[in-house]
Amino acid sequence: FPGRAPIRLLTRFEYNNAVRDLLGDDSEPANAFPSEELGNGFGNGMVELLARPDQWQTVVDDPWGVAATAVEEMLRYDTPSQLFERTATQDVEVAGVTVGEGQKIAALLGSANRDPDVFTDPDRFDVRRDPNPHIAFGAGIHFCLGAPLARLEMQQSLPMLAERFPELRPAGEAVPRGTFVLRGWESV
């Protein structure tokens, strides 16, 4: 197709890693850890929801009606994968800066998801935020293959949790894991 990058087949190694990632098999590490990211995405979002009783009440009042926008906000507000590192395969100019072939750059997803040029009131957690063009799952050729499944699981889990436990509250102070790249909680 004119103007589109050529499609290439996955190598056997890439295919095997994609299957392991999608199935949550951590027997051999790959570049991403979807099962951990899914758990962190939901956990991070629940910590934010429960810290804002008005937002949790919005979910409780209409759990299936706000599930989709609430999940997107959970993923945007405290992105489980804060950054990805990439290596330039050729010299390229990004925002007026030349990145040489072989040089590494870091895509700061957490920062991008709080960009005031993209999001109105980006530091506010809003379960009804729409549109919500976050990049918690990456973008372009590096977009997470498991994103539709992660969204589906979260969009089913959140309303079921709200229906079953409408009075849910934190048991105490949330304890962060102390990691930077994969953000999550040791206990909630």
Side-chain angles (χ1 to χ4, degrees):
F1 298 104
R4 293 182 71 186
I7 296 173
R8 73 172 179 81
L9 297 176
L10 295 175
T11 66
R12 179 169 296 283
F13 177 77
E14 291 169 325
Y15 172 80
N16 288 341
N17 277 345
V19 169
R20 280 188 194 97
D21 288 346
L22 289 172
L23 296 177
D25 177 2
D26 61 357
S27 62
E28 188 173 319
N31 287 335
F33 307 95
S35 58
E36 187 170 348
E37 288 182 17
L38 174 60
N40 289 341
F42 196 76
N44 294 353
M46 287 305 301
V47 167
E48 297 304 330
L49 265 174
L50 297 178
R52 295 162 179 78
D54 63 315
Q55 295 296 296
W56 176 243
Q57 192 59 51
T58 299
V59 173
V60 168
D61 290 345
D62 186 15
W64 296 96
V66 300
T69 56
V71 163
E72 296 305 316
E73 184 68 348
M74 290 164 74
L75 291 164
R76 179 199 74 86
Y77 193 82
D78 194 4
T79 302
S81 294
Q82 289 291 302
L83 70 87
F84 277 104
E85 191 176 79
R86 297 290 180 242
T87 304
T89 57
Q90 62 186 19
D91 290 354
V92 63
E93 188 173 309
V94 179
V97 176
T98 300
V99 179
E101 180 180 350
Q103 282 187 303
K104 294 188 181 294
I105 62 163
L108 301 175
L109 305 182
S111 177
N113 286 337
R114 297 286 188 100
D115 186 343
D117 291 339
V118 177
F119 299 98
T120 303
D121 201 5
D123 292 329
R124 181 174 52 90
F125 185 85
D126 179 5
V127 296
R128 293 189 185 275
R129 184 181 298 274
D130 188 28
N132 192 341
H134 67 79
I135 58 169
F137 292 115
I141 64 169
H142 296 288
F143 186 76
C144 175
L145 291 173
L149 179 59
R151 283 185 166 114
L152 177 65
E153 289 179 1
M154 290 177 71
Q155 288 172 7
Q156 295 298 304
S157 299
L158 181 63
M160 291 180 0
L161 186 66
E163 286 177 338
R164 184 159 170 101
F165 302 105
E167 301 299 322
L168 187 64
R169 300 291 179 262
E173 188 74 26
V175 178
R177 289 181 48 208
T179 60
F180 177 71
V181 175
L182 290 175
R183 285 176 58 100
W185 301 94
E186 189 68 40
S187 64
V188 178

